[in-house]
């Protein structure tokens, strides 16, 4: 006993003598050891979901546990009862089987893997001056391609469901994907919170023109690039919509780091990015709706003459022409309806904001007792708007952004004072958990084997060129003389998380039975997003620094008025 006490005493003394860096390394080593043990336990077949006759999926353990718990496995009802008993830790199964039978276990394991390695990847990127989102995306790419890279498939249970698939029961990959979708809703809500309607009205003429050009030019260039690789208009148009996105967060952080966030160019960039977010979401809603409407209308008639009956050729051709004309007219009308619906939804949200609907909700919340009322009722508004947007045929992220946009501090200031926390700070722990899950999931959907196809690299290269040129065109909207237009254009280049969100929406869209953004196209879009995100910080620092050295942007002078 004394020897063991002495051993623990020496160990404690040794730990106390470690420097802060040494202690961090110690706990990091223990965490990695725990992760290694966890991965070793999650061998292929450790989590297998058995389909019962009732359609419910229950998780079984290893083959030995299955034999022990389910006996001969011949009776579906008996299997269900045994699995049900195990999942509740009943006496019918041993401890090992009962632990593995809990369907939540693999989901928890997936969350552990995602969050742990996402934070490591984000830290490594931030250490070299890159956005954390790149590290999270890279981690997802590695996890999703472990099998093809090193022949390890222990994380196969984390794979997201195929596009358009609707898995039944407790599919860990599907549940993680749902958590990722919640993450992107929270992300857009947070982006909306950082913008206000008042800011949109004050950005000035230059910011408005820059934003409009920054949407129109990339869409046109992206559509042209897409027409070189794809038949039809659906995929090229969605590629153009993806290029119109701008990640203001990346540019804002660079400008803050170099101490130039108050320059006129910076104000134009940030103001334009706010309008660009709104226009981009409207474009996304319109393009997605148009593709869905075209898919619902069915493919155009082909080889019609081969099926015409003898003697009725002229009449049949007339009928087909009339049907085609009617279909085109119907599609055009549906597109008009979608445009009106998207604008109407955002307009309705702004109207509710002006009518102080959020203020009424928060005033009621202030009368309640309990903790966390501020963030709870903020999320109630966020999720309500996201649901209503989806109900009206729009993307949930449109509703989440609108919810954040209409929230003003004056509406919930009383609750902030009561709980001694700002809403942005209160919601940050949630986004710190759910948003990395989204980016890792986006990376997991990248198939590295698709890069063996040279056309993927060709499409990615042209998309990068179009992305850069399109945002440089928008800098022509700067009206004030003597400003650094190059910096404005460079500041609008990064697609970042917004480009990934658009690409994710494209993977959900199905046109004539196929995903609009297939695996190869998605890989090309991810390359474009990563490149534009990586090159922007150094280019923007160089451009702003060069302008200061040449005297074009005296830092001591007050910036001229925008507009």
């Amino acid at each position: 006993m004394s020897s063991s006490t002495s051993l623990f005493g020496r160990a404690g003394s040794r730990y106390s003598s470690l420097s802060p860096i040494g202690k961090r390394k110690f706990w990091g080593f223990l965490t990695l050891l725990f992760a290694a043990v966890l991965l070793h336990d999650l061998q292929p077949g450790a989590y297998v979901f058995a389909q019962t006759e009732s359609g419910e999926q229950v998780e079984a353990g290893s083959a030995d546990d299955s034999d022990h718990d389910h006996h001969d496995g011949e009776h579906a009802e008996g299997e269900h009862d045994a699995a049900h008993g195990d999942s509740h830790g009943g006496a019918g199964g041993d401890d090992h089987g009962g632990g593995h039978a809990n369907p939540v276990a693999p989901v928890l394991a997936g969350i552990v893997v995602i969050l742990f390695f996402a934070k490591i990847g984000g830290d490594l990127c931030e250490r070299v001056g890159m956005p954390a989102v790149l590290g999270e995306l890279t981690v997802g790419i590695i996890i999703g391609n472990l099998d093809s890279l090193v022949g390890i498939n222990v994380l196969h249970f984390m794979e997201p469901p195929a596009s358009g698939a609707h898995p039944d029961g407790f599919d860990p990959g599907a549940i993680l994907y749902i958590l990722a979708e919640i993450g992107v809703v929270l992300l857009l809500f947070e982006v909306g919170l950082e913008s206000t309607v008042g800011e949109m009205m004050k950005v000035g003429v230059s910011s408005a023109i820059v934003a409009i050009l920054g949407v129109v030019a990339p869409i046109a260039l992206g559509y042209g690039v897409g027409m070189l690789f794809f038949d039809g208009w659906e995929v090229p148009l969605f590629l153009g919509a993806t290029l119109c996105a701008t990640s203001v967060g990346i540019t804002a952080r660079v400008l803050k780091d170099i101490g130039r966030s108050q320059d006129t160019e910076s104000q134009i960039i940030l103001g334009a990015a706010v309008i660009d977010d709104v226009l981009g979401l409207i474009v996304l809603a319109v393009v997605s709706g148009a593709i869905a409407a075209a898919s619902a209308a069915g493919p155009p008639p082909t080889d019609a003459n081969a099926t015409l009956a003898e003697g009725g050729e002229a009449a049949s051709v007339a009928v087909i022409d009339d049907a085609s004309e009617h279909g085109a007219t119907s599609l055009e009308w549906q597109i008009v309806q979608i445009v009106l619906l998207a604008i109407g939804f955002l307009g309705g949200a702004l109207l509710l904001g002006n009518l102080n609907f959020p203020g009424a909700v928060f005033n009621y919340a202030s009368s309640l007792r309990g903790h966390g009322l501020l963030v709870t009722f903020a999320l109630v508004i966020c999720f309500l708007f996201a649901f209503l947007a989806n109900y009206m045929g729009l993307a949930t992220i449109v509703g989440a952004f609108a919810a954040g946009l209409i929230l003003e501090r004056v509406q919930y200031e009383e609750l902030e004072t009561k709980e001694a926390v700002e809403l942005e700070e209160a919601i940050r722990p949630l986004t710190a958990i759910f948003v990395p899950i989204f980016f890792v999931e986006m990376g997991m959907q990248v198939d590295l084997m698709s890069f063996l196809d040279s056309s993927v690299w060709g499409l990615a290269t042209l998309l990068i060129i179009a992305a850069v040129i399109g945002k440089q065109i928008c800098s022509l909207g700067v009206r004030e003389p003597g400003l650094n237009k190059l910096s404005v254009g460079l500041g609008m280049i990064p697609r970042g998380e917004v480009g990934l969100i658009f690409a994710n929406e494209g993977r959900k869209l199905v046109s004539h039975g196929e995903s609009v953004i297939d695996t190869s196209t998605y890989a090309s879009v991810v390359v474009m997003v990563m490149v534009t995100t990586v090159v922007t910080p150094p280019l923007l620092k160089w451009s702003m620094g060069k302008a200061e050295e040449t005297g074009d942007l005296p830092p001591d002078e007050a910036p001229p008025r925008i507009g």
Side-chain angles (χ1 to χ4, degrees):
M1 183 67 179
S2 59
S3 61
S4 61
T5 303
S6 176
L7 178 63
F8 283 113
R10 288 196 301 269
S13 176
R14 181 67 180 271
Y15 176 80
S16 300
S17 64
L18 291 176
S19 64
I21 296 178
K23 291 180 179 179
R24 285 199 296 268
K25 290 182 178 180
F26 171 76
W27 287 110
F29 171 77
L30 286 185
T31 306
L32 287 175
L33 182 62
F34 169 76
V37 173
L38 179 65
L39 292 179
H40 178 270
D41 187 53
L42 297 180
Q43 293 298 327
Y47 289 100
V48 179
F49 292 86
Q51 185 79 27
T52 66
E53 291 181 358
S54 63
E56 179 182 355
Q57 284 187 335
V58 294
E59 185 183 5
S62 63
D64 293 339
D65 292 333
S66 178
D67 291 339
H68 177 76
D69 294 335
H70 306 311
H71 304 291
D72 55 5
E74 294 178 354
H75 301 288
E77 184 177 358
E79 291 178 358
H80 174 75
D81 292 340
H84 186 271
D86 289 346
S87 66
H88 290 78
D94 56 25
D95 293 338
H96 181 69
H100 276 199
N102 191 334
V104 179
V107 178
L108 296 177
I111 294 175
V112 168
V113 173
I114 289 176
L115 293 182
F116 177 76
F117 289 105
K119 293 304 180 181
I120 291 179
D123 175 75
L124 293 176
C125 282
E126 289 192 347
R127 287 178 183 272
V128 295
M130 293 291 107
V133 60
L134 289 178
E136 296 164 357
L137 184 64
T138 303
V139 165
I141 294 175
I142 295 174
I143 292 177
N145 293 271
L146 275 178
D147 191 10
S148 57
L149 290 175
V150 293
I152 298 177
N153 63 346
V154 294
L155 300 180
H156 69 287
F157 66 94
M158 294 172 52
E159 295 178 359
S163 179
H166 299 283
D168 298 324
F170 298 102
D171 183 356
I175 295 175
L176 291 173
Y177 185 78
I178 291 174
L179 295 179
E181 289 295 302
I182 295 175
V184 73
V185 167
L186 292 175
L187 175 61
L188 264 294
F189 179 62
E190 189 177 42
V191 172
L193 282 176
E194 295 172 354
S195 307
T196 64
V197 179
E199 289 177 354
M200 293 178 59
M201 305 303 295
K202 296 178 182 178
V203 293
V205 177
S206 287
S207 292
I209 297 176
V210 169
I212 294 172
L213 290 177
V215 170
V216 175
I219 288 178
L221 292 173
Y223 183 83
V225 169
M227 291 298 292
L228 298 176
F229 291 85
F230 303 97
D231 297 326
W233 57 271
E234 291 92 341
V235 179
L237 186 59
F238 200 90
L239 288 176
T242 302
L243 290 187
C244 80
T246 298
S247 175
V248 63
I250 295 172
T251 299
R253 178 166 182 174
V254 174
L255 294 173
K256 184 178 180 180
D257 289 344
I258 62 178
R260 308 298 294 269
S261 58
Q262 297 303 315
D263 288 357
T264 305
E265 288 84 352
S266 302
Q267 296 178 34
I268 291 176
I269 293 171
L270 299 179
V274 174
I275 303 177
D276 195 67
D277 285 336
V278 178
L279 294 179
L281 289 174
I282 293 176
V283 168
L284 175 64
V286 172
V287 171
S288 300
I291 293 174
S295 178
T302 56
D303 298 328
N305 291 335
T307 62
L308 296 178
E310 185 178 355
E313 182 173 349
S316 298
V317 170
V319 171
I320 292 174
D321 290 341
D322 181 69
S324 300
E325 182 179 353
H326 175 73
T329 304
S330 176
L331 178 60
E332 292 172 357
W333 170 238
Q334 289 184 29
I335 294 176
V336 172
Q337 287 179 310
I338 295 166
V339 174
L340 296 177
L341 182 64
I343 297 176
F345 180 84
L346 290 174
L350 295 178
L351 178 61
L352 286 176
N354 289 332
L355 295 177
N356 201 29
F357 164 73
V361 173
F362 286 115
N363 286 337
Y364 172 73
S366 299
S367 65
L368 301 178
R369 298 180 181 181
H371 300 286
L373 295 174
L374 175 63
V375 67
T376 298
F377 279 85
L379 291 180
V380 166
I381 296 175
C382 168
F383 293 155
L384 174 62
F385 274 62
F387 168 77
L388 292 176
N390 183 258
Y391 182 78
M392 296 176 66
L394 305 175
T396 54
I397 58 176
V398 176
F401 178 81
L405 190 63
I406 67 173
L407 292 189
E408 303 283 350
R409 172 149 292 164
V410 67
Q411 298 167 340
Y412 50 82
E413 189 173 11
E414 182 179 349
L415 260 182
E416 281 190 335
T417 304
K418 178 181 177 181
E419 299 189 351
V421 63
E422 295 183 355
L423 178 56
E424 291 81 356
E425 291 295 327
I427 204 172
R428 195 159 293 163
L430 290 174
T431 56
I433 293 175
F434 285 96
V435 174
I437 296 177
F438 170 74
F439 289 125
V440 172
E441 284 284 319
M442 294 303 97
M444 289 174 62
Q445 297 183 46
V446 176
D447 183 8
L448 291 181
M449 293 299 101
S450 62
F451 289 107
L452 297 178
D453 185 357
S454 59
S455 63
V456 173
W457 290 106
L459 177 59
T461 301
L462 291 181
L463 286 177
I464 293 170
I465 295 174
V468 174
I469 294 178
K471 293 302 182 179
Q472 290 304 307
I473 292 176
C474 77
S475 66
L476 299 177
V478 177
R479 298 173 62 250
E480 289 78 9
L483 294 185
N484 187 353
K485 295 184 178 181
L486 177 61
S487 294
V488 174
L490 292 176
M492 299 289 288
I493 286 178
R495 270 51 177 191
E497 70 280 358
V498 185
L500 292 175
I501 292 170
F502 276 44
N504 180 51
E505 293 298 319
R507 286 185 62 84
K508 300 177 188 175
L509 282 176
V510 177
S511 177
H512 306 311
E514 298 181 358
S515 296
V516 172
I517 303 296
D518 60 17
T519 302
S520 298
T521 308
Y522 181 77
S524 299
V525 172
V526 169
V527 171
M528 179 273 296
V529 168
M530 296 183 73
V531 171
T532 56
T533 303
V534 168
V535 301
T536 298
L539 287 178
L540 190 57
K541 291 178 181 178
W542 166 80
S543 176
M544 298 290 275
K546 180 180 179 182
E548 184 175 346
E549 291 175 2
T550 57
D552 294 337
L553 293 171
D556 296 330
E557 293 185 8
R561 181 178 179 272
I562 300 177

